[in-house]
Amino acid sequence: QLMLAESGGGLVQSGGSLRLSCVASSGSLDYYAIAWFRQAPGKEREGVASINVIAGAYSYSDSVKGRFTISRDNARNIAWLQMNNLKPEDTAVYYCAAGMYGSAWFQSLDADKYDYWGQGIQVTVSS
């Protein structure tokens, strides 16, 4: 069973940066596409960024393009979401997710493609 755990969240002022990490504490990320999602209070879960199994393709939501970067290191069994120029509207619980749809040769912001999810971590951006 693949177990994922996020870290690196917290409280920052607008314009600041955070780096979220997602580590597989059980199993390996080698065979999975990875994505980050977020859910703000009262809103549906939103796909933020995704990366395919070999980091050969990426997808970002329009709201974060140019500010967020997804990356991975399969040898270290970890993925990251670097978040720069944070805005108050980025405030949400952020989740990492892993999926093998299409043998992980995909990058998708569709939550249905992902089978394993971390517990979520709070990111709060003050104005």
Side-chain angles (χ1 to χ4, degrees):
Q1 186 177 27
L2 185 64
M3 303 290 290
L4 305 176
E6 304 96 338
S7 62
L11 173 65
V12 298
Q13 293 184 332
S14 62
S17 298
L18 286 173
R19 179 183 287 109
L20 304 182
S21 298
C22 177
V23 175
S25 58
S26 179
S28 174
L29 295 180
D30 287 355
Y31 312 106
Y32 297 90
I34 303 295
W36 290 90
F37 294 81
R38 66 186 182 187
Q39 188 164 22
K43 296 184 178 180
E44 295 184 352
R45 186 155 51 191
E46 173 192 14
V48 174
S50 63
I51 185 169
N52 73 5
V53 68
I54 60 169
Y58 310 84
S59 184
Y60 295 94
S61 68
D62 289 341
S63 62
V64 307
K65 285 180 180 177
R67 300 189 297 120
F68 290 12
T69 303
I70 188 170
S71 59
R72 67 189 298 164
D73 186 338
N74 289 349
R76 292 201 277 159
N77 216 25
I78 190 169
W80 298 273
L81 183 68
Q82 177 68 43
M83 304 183 293
N84 297 327
N85 192 24
L86 284 160
K87 304 175 181 179
E89 52 263 44
D90 296 318
T91 295
V93 176
Y94 283 71
Y95 302 86
C96 67
M100 292 187 67
Y101 182 85
S103 300
W105 294 98
F106 70 96
Q107 63 292 327
S108 175
L109 300 180
D110 181 357
D112 290 341
K113 299 288 198 299
Y114 298 93
D115 303 306
Y116 301 96
W117 296 77
Q119 79 284 357
I121 190 164
Q122 180 70 46
V123 171
T124 302
V125 185
S126 65
S127 59

